[in-house]
Amino acid sequence: NTQIAGGPWNITVVSVAEIRREGSNFIATHYDVDEYGIGKTVEEAVADLLVSLIDYRTSLERRENRLAGKERGDLVRLKILLQR
């Protein structure tokens, strides 16, 4: 159970992200929901990815009644991954 940036979100399951270098930046990609983060260091890229995942979950929750199949699946996965 890992708390994210001292905030209300916790990662509750093990999850995998690919981290690769592109030029002077690192890119952290979570392929289960097609989100990514960018940073000058691996830590910055992972932190940016976590913010992207939280923002995406929040966006999906706001329009939950109107989601298509892929987005509905992404929301289910994000609800498992990220808990408040």
Side-chain angles (χ1 to χ4, degrees), residues 3 7 10 13 16 25 28 35 41-42 46-48 51 64 68 84:
Q3 191 172 26
N10 292 298
V13 295
V16 176
N25 292 313
E35 287 292 310
T41 66
V42 170
V46 170
D48 192 49
V51 169
E64 189 166 359
R84 287 186 208 163

Side-chain angles (χ1 to χ4, degrees), residues 9-84:
W9 294 97
N10 292 298
I11 298 174
T12 57
V13 295
V14 174
S15 189
V16 176
E18 176 189 76
I19 299 173
R20 67 186 183 283
R21 186 168 197 124
E22 286 192 13
S24 62
N25 292 313
F26 288 92
I27 312 294
T29 305
H30 195 286
Y31 290 108
D32 289 346
V33 292
D34 296 325
E35 287 292 310
Y36 66 92
I38 301 172
K40 295 292 182 194
T41 66
V42 170
E43 293 80 11
E44 286 178 4
V46 170
D48 192 49
L49 170 61
L50 292 172
V51 169
S52 293
L53 292 171
I54 291 166
D55 289 348
Y56 186 40
R57 177 181 164 165
T58 302
S59 171
L60 292 173
E61 286 177 328
R62 274 192 241 120
R63 49 199 173 92
E64 189 166 359
N65 297 339
R66 302 182 311 269
L67 296 178
K70 181 196 179 310
E71 291 175 326
R72 191 175 312 278
D74 286 352
L75 182 56
V76 167
R77 283 185 281 284
L78 288 168
K79 283 184 175 181
I80 293 167
L81 175 64
L82 301 167
Q83 303 283 317
R84 287 186 208 163

